[in-house]
Amino acid sequence: MIQITSQKTFHLSTEKTSYLFRALPCGKLEQLYYGRKIPACEEYTFLYDKHAAGYSNTTVYDKKDHLSLDHIRLDYSEFGKGDYRLPAMQVQAENGNFNCDFKFLDAKVTDTKPELAGLPSSYGASQTLTVIMEDKALCAQLHLFYTVFENCNVITRSARLINNGEKTIKIHSLMSMQIDLPAGDYTMISFDGAWIRERYQHERKLTAGECSIGSICGTSSNRHNPFFAIRKGDCNEQAGECWGINLVYSGNHIGRVEVAPHGMVRVQNGINPFEFEWALAPGQSFDAPESVLTYSHEGLNGMSRNMHAFVKEHIVRGEWKHKERPIVVNNWEATYFQFTEKKILAIAKEGARLGAELFVLDDGWFGKRDDATSSLGDWYPDLSKLPEGITGVAKKVEALGMKFGLWIEPEMVNHESRLYREHPDWLLGEPGRPQCHGRNQFVLDYSKPEVVKGIGDMIAKVLREAPVSYIKWDMNRSMSEVFSKGRDAAFQGEVFHRHMLGIYSLYERLITEFPDILFESCASGGARFDPGMLYYAPQTWTSDNTDAVERLRIQYGTSVV
């Protein structure tokens, strides 16, 4: 599945696709081909492009070969050596220099794939190619990972930057992947929207310049889903060429396409560089999230089949991977915050009579939560509503022949709460400035380990004491005032990403301790619908909009990937 020739050409093949690039004599990686499967050869000179460039304003990188990087399809790029397209990485040395020059050093093939520190990633791979690039002046290495999933025609990519020097390096951008497609007639397909109209399909004809989708909300968002596709020519549902690109990440992301002056098309995705700055100290490394690539010559439907197979078999995991999901009855619209145990059991009894298999107790079971203004963060049962706590009501629901589930929103806090009174420093926001809220909610700072542990301890206590079979994990507002109290200025550019790593670590803790629980992710409907979430929560709330007709477009867009 992965071939390395004597000319340092790399051929990654799946059941139906081939991905080829090579290390040029100067050390740069040239993208050769990503498309329909071709036979393995010892030489691939028939794929080589001419590199001649001899007119004004050309920057010559290698005098011997007269290379202009701006005219070459590159597999990964940086800025400073004459490639004026969007760089895949932007790093800054301690002396302020932004220019870097990574060159091929080595490559190896393994039957296992590397773990990405603190990040969700795919599993069950066939083989992984690791290409090692080095910038000697920067004293840094760049490891590029290419993992082959043969049966579903997917290749995943990621990048790791390692500081081998004695001075700190600042990362301003590190894209998860880059491919440069040859000049052609392309259309970008994205899935955009807002609350109650998530993932509507939109198409943009690619022409000169940049086209991008992304999020700076702190979530993958309902504005622009991380997935996008590139359709070539007259590709339709059943025939034609297309490429699908996704990102195993749930925070700020960007997917961008640039049509260069010479017609080549650069495609990248990764963490959104907006307000991102990461200090990479000597001896440290930084991992970009995993990017997911697939190619289909069988139209958009073929691309969808590839992505469906990949998510089902190599992202979703655990007890519920292949289980049929239970039929749910939820008390929210029936009671909102005003309920008693007697009312809850009456709803559960009627649900059981109608064939429901799982009763979910929604918002209002904790603290003194009688309306939306209080108690988020106080994850202990309200005994005035539930005299025997969650344990008592859960056992009574199970006695009806149903499983019991619980709603939580662990990333938020109300000012009117015990948690806020005890830990005002646990909230995001700069002291001395008024803070925005959404639904009377403020965002906890999950970049702080003590927040992850504190919230985790409260929720784990409830789950240990009660027979809970399902958790609906909600997240009902976008992030604002992203500032971590008590941290210095240099840390603030890391908060968005470290916050997301904190969310992932809490998920990992809970699913490890409670592997039988079905976790469903929800973010004000479908505002965090991405492979990163599906890695932890194998069920996702698609949208708060349940109108049958309006749901058609939402379901269609969601089903593409």
Side-chain angles (χ1 to χ4, degrees):
M1 287 152 289
I2 298 178
Q3 175 199 19
I4 304 177
T5 72
S6 57
Q7 288 80 30
K8 297 178 184 175
T9 297
F10 308 95
H11 183 178
L12 290 70
S13 61
T14 69
E15 190 178 273
K16 296 182 179 180
T17 71
S18 286
Y19 184 109
L20 289 102
F21 64 101
R22 65 167 175 153
L24 293 168
C26 68
K28 297 300 181 186
L29 301 181
E30 181 183 18
Q31 170 72 223
L32 296 176
Y33 175 82
Y34 186 25
R36 195 165 183 167
K37 188 169 185 175
I38 61 175
C41 311
E42 180 50 37
E43 293 187 357
Y44 294 92
T45 52
F46 58 92
L47 293 174
Y48 292 0
D49 282 336
K50 292 181 178 179
H51 294 152
Y55 53 84
S56 177
N57 294 325
T58 294
T59 303
V60 176
Y61 176 74
D62 188 313
K63 291 182 179 180
K64 181 180 177 182
D65 293 326
H66 203 73
L67 289 178
S68 169
L69 296 183
D70 206 32
H71 297 75
I72 297 175
R73 291 168 51 211
L74 297 170
D75 204 65
Y76 207 80
S77 65
E78 68 271 89
F79 186 76
K81 293 294 183 179
D83 179 7
Y84 300 103
R85 296 164 289 178
L86 291 168
M89 65 184 300
Q90 187 178 28
V91 300
Q92 187 178 18
E94 195 172 72
N95 66 1
N97 177 39
F98 280 95
N99 303 309
C100 51
D101 191 16
F102 284 89
K103 297 181 179 181
F104 177 82
L105 181 66
D106 197 7
K108 60 181 179 180
V109 176
T110 57
D111 292 330
T112 58
K113 67 191 293 283
E115 290 188 9
L116 304 179
L119 289 164
S121 65
S122 57
Y123 64 93
S126 304
Q127 289 182 321
T128 295
L129 169 69
T130 301
V131 174
I132 302 171
M133 310 286 285
E134 184 178 47
D135 185 325
K136 291 182 179 180
L138 193 62
C139 296
Q141 284 190 353
L142 177 68
H143 291 196
L144 300 175
F145 304 122
Y146 305 75
T147 299
V148 177
F149 293 85
E150 186 178 18
N151 293 335
C152 53
N153 301 299
V154 161
I155 292 169
T156 65
R157 290 189 54 181
S158 186
R160 172 179 292 161
L161 187 63
I162 305 170
N163 185 355
N164 292 324
E166 298 178 354
K167 297 179 180 179
T168 296
I169 299 170
K170 286 184 182 178
I171 304 173
H172 295 274
S173 176
L174 189 72
M175 291 292 105
S176 296
M177 75 88 198
Q178 173 181 299
I179 53 172
D180 281 355
L181 298 173
D185 176 19
Y186 298 104
T187 298
M188 181 179 180
I189 303 174
S190 61
F191 297 85
D192 321 294
W195 180 66
I196 69 169
R197 55 178 175 87
E198 295 87 351
R199 289 173 299 286
Y200 277 26
Q201 180 172 320
H202 296 102
E203 297 194 0
R204 302 168 180 85
K205 195 78 170 175
L206 292 177
T207 184
E210 180 188 349
C211 183
S212 69
I213 51 100
S215 170
I216 56 172
C217 300
T219 64
S220 49
S221 88
N222 50 30
R223 295 167 179 249
H224 302 288
N225 192 263
F227 173 80
F228 63 101
I230 306 294
R231 176 169 61 83
K232 186 175 183 180
D234 57 359
C235 170
N236 57 34
E237 285 283 353
Q238 304 299 336
E241 292 187 285
C242 61
W243 295 262
I245 301 101
N246 211 341
L247 191 66
V248 188
Y249 191 61
S250 312
N252 289 352
H253 63 89
I254 193 167
R256 58 194 188 188
V257 182
E258 180 185 14
V259 180
H262 315 292
M264 291 176 287
V265 178
R266 175 158 291 179
V267 183
Q268 299 168 342
N269 73 341
I271 295 174
N272 198 319
F274 177 80
E275 287 197 10
F276 176 84
E277 184 178 274
W278 193 276
L280 194 64
Q284 291 185 346
S285 62
F286 179 86
D287 288 346
E290 187 172 33
S291 179
V292 184
L293 306 174
T294 192
Y295 163 84
S296 170
H297 65 273
E298 298 171 329
L300 297 172
N301 206 36
M303 181 269 295
S304 289
R305 288 196 299 270
N306 294 343
M307 285 294 193
H308 285 205
F310 173 75
V311 169
K312 288 193 292 183
E313 297 301 324
H314 303 291
I315 291 290
V316 175
R317 57 185 180 145
E319 176 76 16
W320 286 90
K321 178 173 178 175
H322 293 301
K323 272 189 178 180
E324 188 172 300
R325 305 298 191 259
I327 299 169
V328 174
V329 59
N330 181 301
N331 70 293
W332 178 240
E333 278 86 359
T335 68
Y336 295 103
F337 299 101
Q338 311 307 317
F339 60 80
T340 61
E341 184 181 272
K342 182 178 179 181
K343 188 179 288 188
I344 291 300
L345 293 175
I347 296 170
K349 185 176 181 180
E350 182 67 6
R353 187 186 70 81
L354 294 169
E357 300 161 316
L358 169 70
F359 175 83
V360 178
L361 179 59
D362 212 284
D363 196 354
W365 62 266
F366 50 90
K368 297 297 178 184
R369 181 78 162 171
D370 296 322
D371 56 41
T373 65
S374 75
S375 298
L376 279 175
D378 297 343
W379 300 108
Y380 48 86
D382 181 353
L383 298 182
S384 67
K385 294 178 181 177
L386 307 168
E388 298 176 57
I390 296 300
T391 304
V393 71
K395 287 181 177 179
K396 290 172 185 176
V397 166
E398 286 203 332
L400 297 172
M402 305 173 75
K403 295 295 185 182
F404 179 81
L406 207 56
W407 176 97
I408 60 174
E409 191 169 3
E411 298 161 60
M412 300 295 155
V413 66
N414 294 124
H415 277 175
E416 182 55 46
S417 66
R418 187 170 78 184
L419 183 75
Y420 176 71
R421 289 190 292 272
E422 293 177 355
H423 300 287
D425 57 314
W426 283 15
L427 274 68
L428 287 170
E430 184 183 1
R433 287 180 179 268
Q435 287 182 270
C436 299
H437 69 84
R439 293 166 48 121
N440 301 292
Q441 299 175 189
F442 299 85
V443 184
L444 289 168
D445 183 357
Y446 268 76
S447 74
K448 294 183 173 181
E450 61 268 30
V451 175
V452 179
K453 183 180 186 305
I455 299 297
D457 287 348
M458 282 191 281
I459 293 172
K461 184 177 186 296
V462 174
L463 299 183
R464 289 189 201 110
E465 294 174 352
V468 176
S469 300
Y470 164 100
I471 286 290
K472 182 169 184 173
W473 183 317
D474 213 342
M475 196 277 194
N476 276 304
R477 61 156 297 189
S478 298
M479 293 168 66
S480 61
E481 289 103 0
V482 181
F483 182 90
S484 185
K485 298 180 180 72
R487 262 69 176 267
D488 60 24
F491 185 86
Q492 302 305 326
E494 302 181 10
V495 176
F496 266 122
H497 183 56
R498 287 193 183 275
H499 180 91
M500 198 66 248
L501 295 179
I503 301 299
Y504 287 150
S505 68
L506 179 56
Y507 257 116
E508 190 65 46
R509 171 187 172 176
L510 293 176
I511 67 172
T512 299
E513 186 173 350
F514 307 102
D516 296 332
I517 292 179
L518 170 59
F519 282 83
E520 177 180 278
S521 67
C522 177
S524 189
R528 200 155 62 181
F529 203 127
D530 59 80
M533 276 291 108
L534 286 167
Y535 180 80
Y536 299 104
Q539 182 165 304
T540 303
W541 189 243
T542 308
S543 176
D544 283 341
N545 189 340
T546 54
D547 177 84
V549 175
E550 292 188 7
R551 192 65 176 250
L552 290 174
R553 288 188 69 179
I554 297 169
Q555 291 296 125
Y556 178 81
T558 305
S559 75
V560 171
V561 63

